[in-house]
Amino acid sequence: MDEDSIRRALARIVDPAGGQDLVSAGYVGAVTLTDGAAQVILEVPGARGAAMMPLAKAAETAIAALEGISSARVILTAAAEPGGAAPAQAAKGPPPDLRGGRGAQAGAQPGSQPGPQAERRPPQPGHPIPGVDRVLAVGSGKGGVGKSTVAANLAVALAGEGRRVGLLDADVYGPSQPRMMGVRDKPTSPDGQRINPLQAHGVAMISMGLLVAEETATVWRGPMLMKALQQFLFSVVWGELDVLIIDLPPGTGDVQLTLAQRTTVTGAVIVSTPQDVALLDARKAVDMFERTEVPLVGLIENMASFVCPKCGEVTPLFGHGGAQEMGARLGVPFLGEIPIDLDTRLSGDAGMPVVLAHPDSAPAKCFREIARSLIAAGQA
């Protein structure tokens, strides 16, 4: 029994409305199989959610009948398409502002062909997430700067301050929040259309890593990735939250742009190490959020220094003060610096963020100080 066997079973179930089977119609999303327990995500247009319920039940029955299957669960997701996708448009001269702000579409010529500087048209205004007061994106210009560690610890620190917090792991290709937050269970659905988030350390969370096996790669093209992000935003039963923290993937690509298009992001935090290479990419992240008119809450300098546990000597492994200097130069607030620390890594790998595992450590105190500053500034 393997994923292909499950997909073959689903290919025998035909949608009467379109005349295509579930696989050919592109409705079959993630398929997971763990110790005989199968789970399938069916992704259908929002208008067809109710009509697809019988087919979802039929799919569940067909999978359960396969030899070697101990249990079968089909989750039907039928999110609407708020905002709509925006087509590409050519641009000449300086890249346009993506949200229709200063210089939007400057120099665009009718009928011109997209070139290296082609950008998308300004998107429609973002849709609010029901029950969510603020959306705080945590991003970085490049990978390896500890962005996910910062996002997890900020979420837990804010929850410790009494805030109602959600954590959305938007890194579909490399989800790390399930490991960092110590969550292994699969999400459930209350009605076959929406998804219940899981709870960890007082934080409601969702991640693609909860839907696929940890060692399984998510091999999706861009449209599928965008659809998954949209469902995480609007099909998850977040409840009433003071703040939803979104752990973005590295870089300045489709996920970041889709987030700015589809919902209202109230603020963005950029994480960087002090070294020049990381700061170059962090500057690009600043530029991206400015051009999409996402307010910049501030910069965090991670891995700022190393304190020898034996002699107490402070060593700036990656330099020191680079993010603070860049923030002063660009007019972006500096939120604080986090020292590099072995316990931060060990506690993250163990599923217990350092804020909880070692509350008296220097990194934990820094995370709590930043969380309190976000609350004081009305950002969380």
Side-chain angles (χ1 to χ4, degrees), residues 69-81:
I69 295 295
S70 58
S71 66
R73 179 168 58 182
V74 173
I75 298 177
L76 182 65
T77 61
E81 294 283 341

Side-chain angles (χ1 to χ4, degrees), residues 278-301:
L279 291 168
L280 285 173
D281 291 326
R283 177 64 184 90
K284 296 174 184 176
V286 170
D287 180 59
M288 175 199 65
F289 285 121
E290 288 178 340
R291 288 164 55 193
T292 54
E293 295 187 358
V294 173
L296 285 164
V297 174
L299 295 166
I300 294 176
E301 184 168 291

Side-chain angles (χ1 to χ4, degrees), residues 38-57:
Q39 177 173 284
V40 174
I41 305 294
L42 287 185
E43 302 164 333
V44 302
R48 298 217 55 218
M52 291 294 291
M53 285 295 292
L55 289 179
K57 293 294 184 183

Side-chain angles (χ1 to χ4, degrees), residues 20-370:
Q20 286 185 302
D21 65 80
L22 297 180
V23 176
S24 300
Y27 293 153
V28 180
V31 177
T32 60
L33 181 62
T34 306
D35 296 329
Q39 177 173 284
V40 174
I41 305 294
L42 287 185
E43 302 164 333
V44 302
R48 298 217 55 218
M52 291 294 291
M53 285 295 292
L55 289 179
K57 293 294 184 183
E60 201 167 77
T61 300
I63 296 170
L66 295 174
E67 184 178 356
I69 295 295
S70 58
S71 66
R73 179 168 58 182
V74 173
I75 298 177
L76 182 65
T77 61
E81 294 283 341
Q89 175 165 318
K92 290 185 178 181
D97 184 282
L98 303 181
R99 290 297 288 266
R102 299 179 300 276
Q105 300 300 322
Q109 300 296 323
S112 59
Q113 296 298 315
Q117 296 296 324
E119 297 286 353
R120 300 184 179 189
R121 290 176 183 170
Q124 300 296 321
H127 291 240
I129 303 171
V132 177
D133 190 17
R134 304 172 189 85
V135 176
L136 185 64
V138 179
S140 65
K142 68 188 300 293
V145 299
K147 168 188 53 59
S148 294
T149 297
V150 170
N153 278 280
L154 280 182
V156 173
L158 287 168
E161 296 295 322
R163 312 306 286 171
R164 297 168 299 178
V165 185
L167 176 60
L168 192 163
D169 187 352
D171 193 347
V172 173
Y173 296 129
S176 54
Q177 291 300 346
R179 171 63 67 92
M180 290 188 172
M181 296 291 284
V183 177
R184 297 290 184 271
D185 295 333
K186 300 291 184 183
T188 60
S189 174
D191 53 13
Q193 298 184 38
R194 296 174 296 164
I195 304 172
N196 289 323
L198 297 184
Q199 299 290 325
H201 314 306
V203 176
M205 65 160 295
I206 196 71
S207 169
M208 183 57 65
L210 299 173
L211 300 175
V212 299
E214 192 173 47
E215 68 278 2
T216 301
T218 303
V219 187
W220 284 356
R221 295 188 185 276
M224 287 291 289
L225 186 148
M226 299 305 104
K227 193 171 184 180
L229 176 61
Q230 180 173 293
Q231 289 171 344
F232 281 168
L233 290 170
F234 298 105
S235 294
V236 172
V237 187
W238 289 112
E240 298 296 321
L241 295 182
D242 294 309
V243 59
L244 174 63
I245 294 178
I246 301 184
D247 179 15
L248 292 172
T252 56
D254 274 350
V255 169
Q256 288 82 352
L257 182 57
T258 297
L259 183 66
Q261 288 177 335
R262 298 301 174 89
T263 191
T264 302
V265 183
T266 52
V269 171
I270 296 174
V271 180
S272 178
T273 59
Q275 68 187 116
D276 290 344
V277 172
L279 291 168
L280 285 173
D281 291 326
R283 177 64 184 90
K284 296 174 184 176
V286 170
D287 180 59
M288 175 199 65
F289 285 121
E290 288 178 340
R291 288 164 55 193
T292 54
E293 295 187 358
V294 173
L296 285 164
V297 174
L299 295 166
I300 294 176
E301 184 168 291
N302 196 30
M303 309 182 200
S305 58
F306 171 72
V307 180
C308 177
K310 294 184 178 180
C311 67
E313 181 181 358
V314 178
T315 304
L317 297 177
F318 302 105
H320 185 263
Q324 185 172 10
E325 180 183 342
M326 184 178 76
R329 187 170 68 252
L330 300 177
V332 179
F334 181 69
L335 298 177
E337 60 182 46
I338 313 295
I340 187 169
D341 179 80
L342 179 60
D343 285 335
T344 303
R345 194 271 294 175
L346 291 175
S347 59
D349 286 348
M352 181 70 69
V354 72
V355 168
L356 294 176
H358 301 277
D360 295 327
S361 66
K365 292 178 181 178
C366 293
F367 282 123
R368 286 197 298 272
E369 288 174 3
I370 294 173

